[in-house]
Amino acid sequence: ARAHSMQQLKQSSLNSDDYSQKKEKRKDYIITIDHAYHGHTLATLDVSPYKHRQGKEIEDCPSYVRKLPCPDVYRGMHSIERITQQKPGDKESSSGKKQQHGISEIEAAKIYASYVELECEEITSEGQSVSAFLMEGGMSVAGVILPPKSYLRRCVDAVRKAGGLYIADEVQTGFGRLGTCMWAFQYSNDDDGGIGNNDSPTTVDDAIIPDIVTVGKPFGNGMPLAAVITTPRIASAFESLGVEYFNTFAGSPVCCAAGLSMLHVLSKERLQENASNVGNYLLDLFRDAQSRNEMIGDIRGSGLFLGVELVRDRQTLEPATEETSFVCSVLKDKYKVLTSV
């Protein structure tokens, strides 16, 4: 029996080696964005660079995943123009403020999207293919990053031209959290970011429509509920593989009832509109505080997806790490607001 077990173990090892070799030879690539987080299964960890930085078990994305720069227009590789308060000793200006060097939002979108465009060209030129481009419409753990207008449009066009699918991760930002739109991937649909030849709003036909959308968290409002939304064509292709998908907790009538109730309340109580109104109110308060406090470097986001970044110097963008930790402690101890750093 022991010999038989050893033989099974060896065979299992051989099969595992064969699988690893096949995996290394695969010619389908997934494009992900640096600092992204998409989940904690082995498959989603492969495309979650954020976890690679936080943990020690996974050092980097596997060879079939191409990691590209995060479209951060404040602290990223290509920052946009920003206004900073004038400090004592700075050269006077009529507005009492000074302009930082940087590029326009449209230019930043073009440059950041070019990484995806060039990657797609490189992959296809090698006779290989792009299987998917995976991105959060609003990157949460990356620091509340909303990509510049037209960035997503350009990326999706390049990926589809290369034969790939666009997968929108809406687990954090879906169901109206941004206020201006129901889904974060719609955030830049209200204008063409300079791509088109007219100034009219994006039409339904021109709007970005993902091939696959993943939703969760707010869907059940505390109940464990998630969903994958896709096209009949993709669903049929998955079904044709012959791999029956099921799990113990799928299709729970209790969780489904919670999801239906959430959708009803979302519509009846106009929660998307509320997110927009409350978000704009918060933005006004944060911006007022920013005008009086040099440590508030950036305020970004939309609706109830907002980020406030503290820095020690608005020129160098040195992170105010200890100060941020102190603010979080005060929020918890004095105002009973829980945060994470």
Side-chain angles (χ1 to χ4, degrees):
R2 180 182 177 85
H4 181 65
S5 297
M6 289 299 293
Q7 183 62 33
Q8 286 182 321
L9 184 61
K10 289 180 181 178
Q11 187 61 43
S12 174
S13 177
L14 287 173
N15 291 340
S16 178
D17 290 342
D18 290 343
Y19 172 76
S20 298
Q21 291 174 7
K22 289 179 181 178
K23 188 174 181 181
E24 290 301 317
K25 292 179 181 178
R26 66 186 297 172
K27 296 184 178 181
D28 294 326
Y29 288 89
I30 294 177
I31 295 176
T32 191
I33 303 299
D34 199 7
H35 301 288
Y37 173 60
H38 296 292
H40 56 258
T41 65
L42 290 178
T44 52
L45 282 173
D46 279 354
V47 292
S48 298
Y50 166 79
K51 282 294 186 181
H52 307 163
R53 297 172 183 274
Q54 298 295 316
K56 299 179 180 179
E57 295 183 0
I58 304 176
E59 295 183 356
D60 204 351
C61 295
S63 59
Y64 73 92
V65 177
R66 299 291 178 92
K67 177 180 66 178
L68 300 181
C70 171
D72 181 352
V73 295
Y74 178 69
R75 185 179 287 280
M77 299 167 61
H78 311 287
S79 59
I80 64 174
E81 297 172 341
R82 58 182 182 274
I83 301 291
T84 61
Q85 292 295 117
Q86 187 167 329
K87 290 183 177 180
D90 285 340
K91 189 175 181 179
E92 292 294 329
S93 67
S94 58
S95 65
K97 299 180 180 180
K98 62 180 180 180
Q99 183 78 45
Q100 288 282 89
H101 293 293
I103 57 180
S104 69
E105 182 178 4
I106 292 176
E107 190 63 27
K110 291 179 181 179
I111 296 174
Y112 275 122
S114 70
Y115 290 101
V116 176
E117 294 166 343
L118 292 173
E119 194 68 42
C120 289
E121 291 176 6
E122 179 180 332
I123 291 172
T124 54
S125 68
E126 296 172 352
Q128 301 172 348
S129 62
V130 177
S131 61
F133 167 64
L134 176 63
M135 185 177 179
E136 305 160 89
M139 302 181 68
S140 53
V141 298
V144 186
I145 305 298
L146 284 175
K149 297 293 181 70
S150 86
Y151 166 81
L152 197 53
R153 170 82 277 169
R154 295 172 185 275
C155 292
V156 172
D157 285 347
V159 169
R160 286 179 172 162
K161 183 179 179 181
L165 301 177
Y166 165 40
I167 303 174
D169 183 341
E170 292 283 343
V171 172
Q172 291 272 17
T173 52
F175 299 109
R177 182 176 178 183
L178 268 62
T180 57
C181 48
M182 179 62 73
W183 310 105
F185 66 78
Q186 297 173 313
Y187 181 69
S188 61
N189 279 349
D190 56 358
D191 65 32
D192 63 10
I195 293 179
N197 297 317
N198 58 63
D199 298 323
S200 61
T202 305
T203 65
V204 173
D205 291 337
D206 295 329
I208 301 170
I209 305 295
D211 299 289
I212 299 173
V213 180
T214 61
V215 297
K217 298 188 189 243
F219 196 5
N221 194 32
M223 293 291 287
L225 181 65
V228 175
I229 306 166
T230 189
T231 64
R233 179 169 169 265
I234 293 174
S236 297
F238 177 75
E239 184 180 15
S240 68
L241 295 175
V243 181
E244 181 184 7
Y245 173 77
F246 67 92
N247 69 65
T248 304
F249 303 103
S252 163
V254 176
C255 293
C256 289
L260 290 172
S261 295
M262 187 285 293
L263 292 173
H264 174 71
V265 172
L266 177 66
S267 174
K268 182 180 179 180
E269 299 187 11
R270 301 166 70 177
L271 296 186
Q272 180 182 337
E273 181 182 342
N274 180 70
S276 179
N277 293 336
V278 175
N280 288 334
Y281 174 71
L282 288 172
L283 283 172
D284 288 341
L285 293 178
F286 285 140
R287 286 167 181 156
D288 178 63
Q290 184 181 35
S291 68
R292 295 179 282 103
N293 192 321
E294 281 284 313
M295 192 168 288
I296 301 178
D298 191 37
I299 300 166
R300 52 182 176 264
S302 175
L304 294 179
F305 184 69
L306 300 177
V308 178
E309 183 161 346
L310 303 185
V311 295
R312 289 176 177 169
D313 189 302
R314 290 186 182 178
Q315 302 282 333
T316 65
L317 305 187
E318 179 187 357
T321 306
E322 293 179 0
E323 293 86 346
T324 301
S325 180
F326 173 75
V327 169
C328 291
S329 296
V330 171
L331 287 172
K332 182 184 71 172
D333 297 337
K334 188 175 181 179
Y335 299 101
K336 312 305 178 187
V337 176
L338 294 178
T339 59
S340 62
V341 180

